[in-house]
Amino acid sequence: MRDPTLDLKVIHLVRDPRAVASSRIRSRHGLIRESLQVVRSRDPHIHRMPFLDAGHKLGGKKEGGGGSDYHALGAMEVICSSMAKTLQTALHPPDWLQGNYMAVRYEDLVVEPIKTLRQVYGFVNLAVSPEMEKFALNMTSGPGYSSKPFVVSARNATQALSAWRTALSYQQIKQVEEYCHQPMALLGYERVGSPEEVKDLSRTLLRKPRL
């Protein structure tokens, strides 16, 4: 970043941590080793945030996930702690980062693909081709939402954004919010207050980010 011969810029793609948690749980079998590695990488000197329901492994065997769901959610504490540090640096950037960092929300990219794409390209002083705009529209205007992990396909933007609200239990959602409240606040992801609020898909949980 400090090399004067380079014009390096950082584009940081972010997503609602609750959606990330839902995706990790859905991909539980493919990511269980990675989730364990993430959990074990946490700083042992930092007090670990307890589970809201200390006597219960969220997403237990009754829900079909076993310990893999538990580790997938546990990994979110480490992921969000790291994200919070990154975002704090971006919020108060050192000289070498000023003007060279851009956070892009996944939600903005799928709801307003052309507008967001043009902002990203403009940030790196490029023009968006008509072919790329068409591709972006096609990828966010698909017929449905695939439940299969690691599959790149055209998706319905509305379904993609709200999938976590029907996939996660209210307890799982509150656990992720407990772990991730700092980056969520910076990125404009509102916390939920009740199970009814989660299920009301007409209510957006997005507000203007602070970055």
Side-chain angles (χ1 to χ4, degrees):
M1 294 294 291
R2 293 186 173 93
D3 189 335
T5 65
L6 299 176
D7 184 15
L8 184 64
K9 294 182 183 292
V10 176
I11 298 173
H12 185 187
L13 181 63
V14 297
R15 190 178 185 184
D16 190 320
R18 295 162 296 195
V20 175
S22 178
S23 180
R24 294 183 73 88
I25 289 174
R26 196 170 67 249
S27 311
R28 60 173 70 91
H29 300 301
L31 289 177
I32 186 168
R33 288 184 180 180
E34 191 269 352
S35 291
L36 282 167
Q37 289 174 340
V38 171
V39 171
R40 289 168 180 166
S41 71
R42 63 178 297 277
D43 188 340
H45 301 294
I46 298 177
H47 175 69
R48 184 164 191 185
M49 198 177 296
F51 270 88
L52 295 178
D53 184 355
H56 176 62
K57 287 191 174 184
L58 300 178
K61 292 183 179 179
K62 289 183 179 179
E63 296 179 29
S68 56
D69 282 18
Y70 178 76
H71 294 305
L73 284 176
M76 294 304 300
E77 179 185 13
V78 183
I79 291 169
C80 283
S81 175
S82 176
M83 184 184 290
K85 292 178 182 177
T86 299
L87 295 174
Q88 284 296 335
T89 301
L91 195 63
H92 305 286
D95 292 342
W96 53 267
L97 192 60
Q98 288 184 12
N100 294 320
Y101 173 92
M102 180 184 191
V104 180
R105 293 193 304 191
Y106 167 83
E107 292 78 11
D108 295 329
L109 190 58
V110 298
V111 172
E112 297 182 298
I114 301 302
K115 177 183 177 181
T116 307
L117 201 61
R118 287 175 178 173
Q119 290 173 340
V120 171
Y121 271 65
F123 174 66
V124 294
N125 299 315
L126 294 174
V128 189
S129 68
E131 292 80 10
M132 182 57 74
E133 291 187 352
K134 182 178 179 181
F135 174 79
L137 281 175
N138 288 340
M139 291 299 286
T140 55
S141 305
Y145 178 71
S146 173
S147 61
K148 295 180 180 179
F150 312 118
V151 174
V152 178
S153 61
R155 299 180 179 185
N156 179 288
T158 303
Q159 290 186 32
L161 293 187
S162 60
W164 66 266
R165 297 172 74 167
T166 55
L168 296 180
S169 70
Y170 184 65
Q171 185 75 356
Q172 288 173 325
I173 291 169
K174 297 308 292 182
Q175 185 67 62
V176 176
E177 290 180 348
E178 188 74 10
Y179 285 154
C180 304
H181 61 92
Q182 289 182 322
M184 285 178 63
L186 289 173
L187 295 170
Y189 298 118
E190 290 188 4
R191 300 173 73 169
V192 295
S194 67
E196 293 73 26
E197 196 173 306
V198 176
K199 303 305 179 186
D200 181 7
L201 301 184
S202 66
R203 183 183 185 279
T204 180
L205 297 174
L206 291 174
R207 54 179 172 77
K208 187 176 180 180
R210 291 172 57 188
L211 291 173

